[in-house]
Amino acid sequence: MQSMDRRQKKSRKAILDAFTRLLSKKSYISITVQEIIEEADVGRTTFYAHFTTKDQLLKALCEELFGHIMENTKDSINGKGLYSNAKAPTSASCHLLHHIKEDGRIIALLSHDSSEIFLRYFREALTDFIKTEFSDGKIRRRNQNIPEDFLINHIAGSFVEMVLWWIRSKPEQSPEELDRYFCEIINPIL
């Protein structure tokens, strides 16, 4: 893909930001391209120069948000990013929970009535992240009789459901408490 100049980056960001604001107010299905264009204050040609469909815009937004979280989690594990000047949590799941809590956009998108779309992208990003953790040897398997892809699917599904529970019930649990719950459930199968 060709690199964008500053003006193109600014237009793309305006479109993504406008879309995020609209998603916090109404369902994905009810948002029109015209509303996005008006909210972003860009022309129709500019919108279509960046995104051919609203679905492509949604995918780009999800890739940006979830990719950002996953990349920041990797950075945090390596002592960069959010925890570069502070003590980092000890597990990747705790890092992810901290980033989800810090990025209000994720919570807004996952708690909205159109969350199933975002959940699919979140689960895909999480599955890719877990595969990397397995391939890098950061996750060790005790039970070799369970196929790795089954374990990855189970871990990703459990994590997504835990995050949904956390967001929807608005409990007071900290990322550390949630991580402890998650690890107590997941560690016995690894």
Side-chain angles (χ1 to χ4, degrees), residues 134 137-142 144 190:
F134 266 101
K138 293 176 184 158
I139 297 178
R140 290 188 173 67
R141 295 174 48 199
R142 267 188 286 223
Q144 297 294 321
L190 293 176

Side-chain angles (χ1 to χ4, degrees), residues 2 25 37-38 41 77 81-82 94 101 111 117 123 146 157 159 169 174 183:
Q2 190 176 354
K25 299 174 194 171
I37 289 168
E38 289 171 5
D41 195 24
I77 292 168
L82 183 63
C94 194
K101 183 179 178 184
S111 59
I117 299 162
R123 187 173 176 141
I146 301 172
F159 192 85
S169 61
S174 68
C183 289

Side-chain angles (χ1 to χ4, degrees), residues 5 8 44 47 50 55 100 109 111 116 143 151 163 175:
D5 66 25
Q8 291 169 319
R44 185 169 290 279
F47 176 88
H50 291 279
D55 289 342
I100 290 167
L109 294 174
S111 59
E116 70 281 347
N143 188 339
L151 281 173
V163 168

Side-chain angles (χ1 to χ4, degrees), residues 6-158:
R6 191 179 323 166
R7 183 182 46 82
Q8 291 169 319
K9 287 178 185 175
K10 188 175 178 182
S11 295
R12 181 180 170 88
K13 182 178 179 342
I15 293 166
L16 287 164
D17 289 348
F19 188 47
T20 302
R21 284 190 302 274
L22 288 168
L23 285 167
S24 71
K25 299 174 194 171
K26 57 195 296 190
S27 72
Y28 169 74
I29 283 196
S30 66
I31 297 171
T32 66
V33 169
Q34 185 59 42
E35 287 174 304
I36 298 165
I37 289 168
E38 289 171 5
E39 181 75 19
D41 195 24
V42 297
R44 185 169 290 279
T45 305
T46 300
F47 176 88
Y48 286 112
H50 291 279
F51 307 101
T52 54
T53 65
K54 185 174 77 167
D55 289 342
Q56 188 184 48
L57 172 58
L58 173 65
K59 184 176 182 187
L61 175 66
C62 290
E63 286 172 351
E64 178 184 298
L65 291 174
F66 299 131
H68 174 76
I69 285 177
M70 299 308 165
E71 195 56 44
N72 279 331
T73 297
K74 289 176 191 173
D75 285 348
S76 296
I77 292 168
N78 296 322
K80 302 181 212 168
L82 183 63
Y83 301 105
S84 58
N85 295 320
K87 186 174 188 266
T90 56
S91 73
S93 57
C94 194
H95 287 283
L96 288 171
L97 292 166
H98 271 282
H99 286 288
I100 290 167
K101 183 179 178 184
E102 295 297 318
D103 194 332
R105 297 175 301 172
I106 301 291
I107 292 174
L109 294 174
L110 292 175
S111 59
H112 202 273
D113 63 349
S114 298
S115 67
E116 70 281 347
I117 299 162
F118 306 103
L119 286 173
R120 186 178 79 233
Y121 287 115
F122 180 44
R123 187 173 176 141
E124 286 173 11
L126 189 58
T127 297
D128 289 343
F129 178 78
I130 295 167
K131 281 180 188 173
T132 301
E133 295 289 294
F134 266 101
S135 66
D136 289 349
K138 293 176 184 158
I139 297 178
R140 290 188 173 67
R141 295 174 48 199
R142 267 188 286 223
N143 188 339
Q144 297 294 321
N145 295 327
I146 301 172
E148 188 174 287
D149 61 336
F150 179 86
L151 281 173
I152 291 169
N153 183 63
H154 180 73
I155 293 167
S158 294

Side-chain angles (χ1 to χ4, degrees), residues 165-178:
W165 172 79
W166 188 34
I167 290 170
R168 290 180 179 157
S169 61
K170 302 194 187 332
E172 299 299 317
Q173 283 85 7
S174 68
E176 288 76 14
E177 288 174 293
L178 233 55

